[in-house]
Amino acid sequence: MMNLKDILSPFSAWRNLLKEPVTIKDPLTERPGAPRYRGFHKNDIEKCIGCGTCETICENEAIDLVAVANVDTKNGDSGLRPLVDYGRCCWCALCVDVCTTGSLTMSNEYTWVSNDPEDFRYIPGVDKKEWDNNDLGWKKPDYTLIPTERMDMEEMEPSEREGTFLEIVRGYSRAQAEKEADRCTECGLCVATCPAHMDIPGYIRAVREGDMEEGLRLLYETNPLPEICGRVCTHRCEEVCAVGHSGDPLAIRWLKRYIADQVPFEEYKRILGITSIEENGKKVGIIGAGPSGLSAAYYLRIRGFEVTIYEAKSKGGGMTMYGIPKYRLPMNMLESEIGFLEEIGVKFVYETRVGEDISFDEIYKKHDAVFVGIGFEKPYKINIKGEEQKGALQAISFLDDINKGKKVDIGKKVAIVGGGNVAMDAARVARRLGAEVYMLYRRRVEDMPADSEEIHGAYEEGVQIIPQTIPVEIIGEGGKVKSIQYLMAEMVPDEKGGRPKPVPIEGSEQVLEIDTLIGAIGQEADYGFLPQEYLDKIETNRGRMLVDNNNKTTLDKVYAGGDAVNKTADAISAIADGHRAADAIERMLLV
Amino acid sequence: MENFNSPQEIINFAIQSEQEAHDFYIELAGLVKFNELKVILEQFAAEELGHKTKLSKIVVDTEKTGLTAESVLDMKMADYTVDIQTKPDMTYQDLLTIAMKKEKKAFKLYTDLAQKITDQNIKEIFLGLAQEEAKHKLRFEIEYDEYILRDN
């Protein structure tokens, strides 16, 4: 029931009718905003990565990403910073809430007088303001608009892995993939970092929308080996993922694999629109069927080139076929992708080693262009005493034998020398064969060049890593490896700022009894196939061929890519090389 | 053991050693198949000539030789790597191994000479030369560490 107060109280406001407004009576007294007021924007320029998620979410289009002085574009940072337009902003703070790094905040300042309307378009953090050091105001809240945890990938338990080469990673279901894809902000920082510049936000969107055919088309625009990359890519894209600044980065590699796994190979031609190829009459010879050669072959073939790949081994894939263990990359995936290339007309000449079964000169003369993708297949020796004995193996040939299905007797105790991905593969394969495995690495575990997930996998599977060890002699008995002697190393800082140097500690000798020693310290290219007259014209730097921006070598009409060219030594860089060379060969021969 | 009667004779001996090292690298450059390695060997050779010139400028009739004893990092790679035979298809790994072992031998030679001589001035000259060789060896060891042992 209504009482008298309810009736009279609205009229009490009339008492203020003749009073002067507070803004006229007391214009200069500051009235601070509430501690969490959404006032003017601030931005921590060092923390900001210019991902543009703030710009995307702004309903009023009040934010533009612009280039600013003294901030350079680098991996994981677009070099752009948000400019805010207060003619449009409604201070809803969604930009702050969604900011992937938490760099964008709002102060609780809300008064700003200026006669120049341009002043109200400014770059927070760059255009200095008096509220820049004001700690109060609105900050990224505890809740998050982007889920921080990635969708778990189901894996085979470490205890189940001994004795089997079945694939460890099971792959996402549709629901899992779509949920993971939902976390992507489509900022595109990953595109710049990916050596092949794949349209990552595009194919993740295709996953989200359930359009696998569009996803496959987007993958093949820049990468004709998505099954391979979806499993073993070094995924540098994930290292720069904006979402990774406040949680787990997107599982980009697994999403790529998800798309490739969904589409049957027999549908590829139709989906990719390669139903007929118009021949252009030009011939390209490719040496080596590794990722760079296969990539060059695909992009050349779909443009009408007659492409022939010369491969020394009996199957294509290069290191991905012979070097990567099948628990990481099942052979049928590789064979299917290579089969698709055969289906569109790429000719494979297997078991033909250039320089032995066919001369380089012949290939050079009968093709309009040549692509060299020979990889790094010649291992560096450890170069210590005793390496010539039985039981001292090289990781590359060990992995090759295992992938070919050969039986390799490694005994019960194995030492691996090295700390890169090849060493990890050798160690994990040796564990699967039931051996007790020790890894001798000269530096600290954190210095290992292997991917962190490989190191993690090795630990999970029981590989014992002995860091800061310098092998000095392989001791044998009757011509067979018996033990390895090593020295412990101390890490001495490099005066010039390089990696700390491992220096042996005198008197720290240790001996490890072993049955097999596997060297995995690195590889180099084998140029034995090149006659001297060509060798003289191909410039190299520390064993890698020098190429220009088109992947052209210093030898006329010869292009090159993959490990024998780039230092990153991964499949995705090789694929990018092949694509770039194919574009350049097309320009050279057809334009 | 060489017998030296004066500091100048030591310097002359060192100069001759550097010339021999230069000739060795030039000979090797004529042997290898790769242009890149030829260029590197010619660089090595040029550096040995540089050392020779540096030694030639030392004025031995004063007490100062311009060579100072300082501690140089020894990664000891030359100690445990095996000897390499020179051959036409030598690799970069082979060249670096040969070079660091050669520098190690030179270091050891000068250090041994210094130990066996009582004249303080001459001793210092030897130790100074040994330090120079140690620096050259470290350079090759760092190169080996960075490019050959990149996965180790």
Side-chain angles (χ1 to χ4, degrees):
Chain A
M1 188 182 156
M2 189 175 276
N3 60 32
L4 190 60
K5 191 181 170 196
D6 292 334
I7 296 165
L8 294 178
S9 61
F11 297 99
S12 64
W14 287 97
R15 69 175 181 226
N16 297 320
L17 186 64
L18 298 176
K19 285 185 186 169
E20 282 187 323
V22 72
T23 49
I24 294 171
K25 189 173 70 179
D26 190 11
L28 298 176
T29 303
E30 285 192 14
R31 289 163 195 81
R36 295 176 70 232
Y37 192 73
R38 301 196 298 263
F40 303 129
H41 289 77
K42 302 186 295 179
N43 193 13
D44 181 341
I45 290 302
E46 298 301 320
K47 206 171 165 188
C48 178
I49 53 172
C51 66
T53 310
C54 49
E55 181 187 33
T56 308
I57 204 166
C58 182
E59 292 278 342
N60 300 327
E61 298 184 3
I63 294 180
D64 285 316
L65 268 281
V66 295
V68 297
N70 302 325
V71 178
D72 296 325
T73 304
K74 54 179 188 269
N75 257 350
D77 184 349
S78 69
L80 306 175
R81 295 294 179 263
L83 176 149
V84 183
D85 181 351
Y86 281 162
R88 288 172 168 270
C89 180
C90 68
W91 286 272
C92 69
L94 269 179
C95 52
V96 173
D97 294 358
V98 82
C99 178
T100 56
T101 62
S103 71
L104 196 64
T105 54
M106 284 167 146
S107 75
N108 70 340
E109 291 287 333
Y110 63 94
T111 54
W112 181 4
V113 179
S114 173
N115 290 329
D116 183 358
E118 278 303 310
D119 278 359
F120 297 106
R121 295 176 73 248
Y122 78 112
I123 306 169
V126 172
D127 300 332
K128 296 298 171 201
K129 300 294 174 196
E130 59 196 57
W131 54 81
D132 282 348
N133 296 321
N134 182 345
D135 284 337
L136 297 175
W138 186 254
K139 293 184 177 64
K140 192 176 166 73
D142 292 337
Y143 62 82
T144 176
L145 297 179
I146 307 162
T148 53
E149 285 180 22
R150 75 159 52 174
M151 201 65 226
D152 268 347
M153 173 58 80
E154 201 187 327
E155 289 186 354
M156 184 192 286
E157 286 299 318
S159 56
E160 298 169 7
R161 296 179 197 166
E162 194 175 317
T164 175
F165 282 80
L166 285 175
E167 193 173 12
I168 295 175
V169 173
R170 313 262 195 222
Y172 279 149
S173 67
R174 179 175 176 176
Q176 287 172 321
E178 287 179 3
K179 199 169 174 192
E180 180 62 14
D182 230 11
R183 299 170 62 224
C184 179
T185 65
E186 300 194 4
C187 70
L189 287 177
C190 46
V191 180
T193 296
C194 171
H197 305 307
M198 297 191 74
D199 181 1
I200 296 163
Y203 69 69
I204 290 181
R205 192 184 319 121
V207 172
R208 200 163 50 232
E209 292 169 358
D211 188 349
M212 293 303 103
E213 295 196 2
E214 173 64 3
L216 191 80
R217 275 190 291 273
L218 290 172
L219 293 179
Y220 266 77
E221 273 182 10
T222 46
N223 184 346
L225 304 169
E227 286 281 15
I228 294 175
C229 284
R231 286 171 165 77
V232 299
C233 186
T234 43
H235 56 85
R236 279 179 272 160
C237 48
E238 293 180 18
E239 285 167 23
V240 300
C241 176
V243 174
H245 285 265
S246 47
D248 298 331
L250 260 284
I252 299 172
R253 180 175 56 174
W254 299 144
L255 291 174
K256 178 160 53 207
R257 168 189 162 146
Y258 171 75
I259 297 173
D261 279 356
Q262 303 314 303
V263 186
F265 280 101
E266 46 274 25
E267 293 289 315
Y268 274 32
K269 270 172 93 169
R270 177 188 61 78
I271 294 168
L272 299 172
I274 318 174
T275 42
S276 67
I277 290 173
E278 197 180 325
E279 305 292 334
N280 65 32
K282 302 285 184 189
K283 295 177 181 174
V284 180
I286 294 177
I287 301 173
S292 71
L294 295 175
S295 170
Y298 172 77
Y299 292 108
L300 287 164
R301 182 64 201 132
I302 59 171
R303 295 165 198 182
F305 290 87
E306 186 185 324
V307 181
T308 310
I309 302 185
Y310 301 90
E311 169 58 47
K313 297 207 158 97
S314 59
K315 287 179 180 174
M319 275 297 169
T320 54
M321 173 63 86
Y322 293 100
I324 297 179
K326 297 307 145 204
Y327 61 83
R328 288 174 62 202
L329 178 61
M331 196 170 281
N332 60 326
M333 293 300 161
L334 264 165
E335 287 175 339
S336 302
E337 278 192 333
I338 293 165
F340 174 61
L341 293 181
E342 281 174 345
E343 207 183 314
I344 63 169
V346 174
K347 293 177 192 162
F348 287 82
V349 185
Y350 288 121
E351 295 178 324
T352 303
R353 185 171 281 279
V354 179
E356 288 175 17
D357 305 310
I358 182 170
S359 73
F360 178 78
D361 189 59
E362 185 183 337
I363 291 176
Y364 186 75
K365 285 178 178 153
K366 78 177 183 190
H367 294 95
D368 298 296
V370 175
F371 180 84
V372 180
I374 52 174
F376 266 18
E377 61 165 14
K378 192 171 155 191
Y380 283 130
K381 290 172 78 176
I382 309 172
N383 259 4
I384 57 173
K385 209 172 149 195
E387 203 177 359
E388 70 293 342
Q389 298 175 94
K390 199 176 166 213
L393 311 177
Q394 280 291 349
I396 293 293
S397 43
F398 168 62
L399 293 169
D400 186 3
D401 285 347
I402 295 295
N403 277 355
K404 281 178 183 159
K406 281 190 191 169
K407 202 167 177 322
V408 185
D409 182 12
I410 54 171
K412 288 182 181 158
K413 219 166 160 184
V414 174
I416 316 279
V417 176
N421 282 335
V422 175
M424 291 297 161
D425 285 341
R428 297 178 68 184
V429 166
R431 279 292 298 130
R432 278 167 174 72
L433 298 180
E436 195 179 316
V437 179
Y438 296 86
M439 286 191 86
L440 305 180
Y441 178 60
R442 292 189 319 137
R443 297 168 193 271
R444 300 161 301 184
V445 173
E446 59 264 40
D447 300 319
M448 281 184 155
D451 293 345
S452 57
E453 59 201 31
E454 285 299 308
I455 300 171
H456 176 71
Y459 273 130
E460 269 187 342
E461 290 162 16
V463 173
Q464 296 175 64
I465 299 175
I466 315 177
Q468 292 173 241
T469 50
I470 298 181
V472 289
E473 188 180 343
I474 302 162
I475 301 159
E477 201 176 76
K480 165 90 179 71
V481 171
K482 186 169 174 282
S483 58
I484 179 158
Q485 186 186 16
Y486 59 88
L487 290 165
M488 299 310 293
E490 61 176 331
M491 303 306 291
V492 177
D494 181 21
E495 287 172 6
K496 290 178 182 165
R499 295 194 297 174
K501 307 289 175 220
V503 175
I505 301 166
E506 229 161 286
S508 64
E509 286 88 353
Q510 311 247 357
V511 173
L512 180 68
E513 300 275 328
I514 49 169
D515 300 306
T516 301
L517 177 106
I518 301 178
I521 64 166
Q523 298 95 240
E524 63 182 337
D526 185 353
Y527 296 104
F529 68 97
L530 281 172
Q532 193 66 46
E533 65 265 31
Y534 290 107
L535 206 53
D536 287 345
K537 289 178 188 157
I538 288 199
E539 279 185 40
T540 55
N541 180 18
R542 293 190 174 95
R544 287 193 165 85
M545 285 176 276
L546 287 180
V547 294
D548 63 14
N549 292 337
N550 292 320
N551 277 75
K552 190 182 163 301
T553 67
T554 46
L555 178 59
D556 189 37
K557 76 174 193 183
V558 174
Y559 295 75
D563 291 359
V565 166
N566 64 57
K567 286 182 187 163
T568 49
D570 55 8
I572 190 69
S573 303
I575 287 164
D577 287 342
H579 193 177
R580 212 167 17 246
D583 290 349
I585 290 169
E586 184 187 31
R587 281 195 298 275
M588 175 184 74
L589 296 177
L590 298 183
V591 180
Chain B
M1 168 68 72
E2 304 265 351
N3 288 319
F4 300 103
N5 298 317
S6 71
Q8 188 57 54
E9 276 187 30
I10 300 167
I11 299 296
N12 290 345
F13 172 74
I15 287 171
Q16 193 193 331
S17 302
E18 300 292 352
Q19 181 64 47
E20 281 168 10
H22 164 269
D23 297 345
F24 170 76
Y25 286 132
I26 289 292
E27 195 186 331
L28 220 52
L31 182 71
V32 295
K33 282 163 72 178
F34 286 94
N35 266 340
E36 182 196 351
L37 299 187
K38 281 185 205 298
V39 172
I40 291 169
L41 283 164
E42 280 160 11
Q43 273 171 8
F44 289 177
E47 280 171 24
E48 300 296 350
L49 273 192
H51 303 159
K52 183 183 160 189
T53 313
K54 196 172 177 182
L55 289 167
S56 311
K57 286 181 182 162
I58 294 172
V59 182
V60 291
D61 53 357
T62 68
E63 284 188 5
K64 289 189 178 175
T65 61
L67 298 168
T68 53
E70 57 181 286
S71 171
V72 178
L73 180 67
D74 183 3
M75 296 175 74
K76 298 193 191 295
M77 287 180 179
D79 294 15
Y80 52 79
T81 44
V82 290
D83 287 331
I84 302 291
Q85 297 299 314
T86 56
K87 53 186 189 282
D89 59 349
M90 269 191 303
T91 61
Y92 191 45
Q93 182 183 25
D94 295 338
L95 285 195
L96 288 175
T97 311
I98 287 173
M100 62 196 186
K101 280 180 173 288
K102 201 163 175 54
E103 300 295 347
K104 189 195 159 198
K105 274 185 192 154
F107 168 80
K108 194 166 179 317
L109 172 70
Y110 290 134
T111 312
D112 288 351
L113 287 172
Q115 274 175 1
K116 287 172 184 167
I117 274 169
T118 48
D119 183 313
Q120 197 54 33
N121 282 346
I122 301 175
K123 192 187 269 287
E124 276 176 20
I125 294 172
F126 275 136
L127 288 175
L129 288 168
Q131 298 293 349
E132 284 293 296
E133 302 299 350
K135 282 185 204 166
H136 303 160
K137 181 169 85 80
L138 177 62
R139 217 194 76 193
F140 292 128
E141 285 185 332
I142 288 175
E143 183 75 4
Y144 196 92
D145 181 54
E146 289 295 322
Y147 290 96
I148 307 300
L149 300 176
R150 63 177 174 273
D151 273 2
N152 190 30

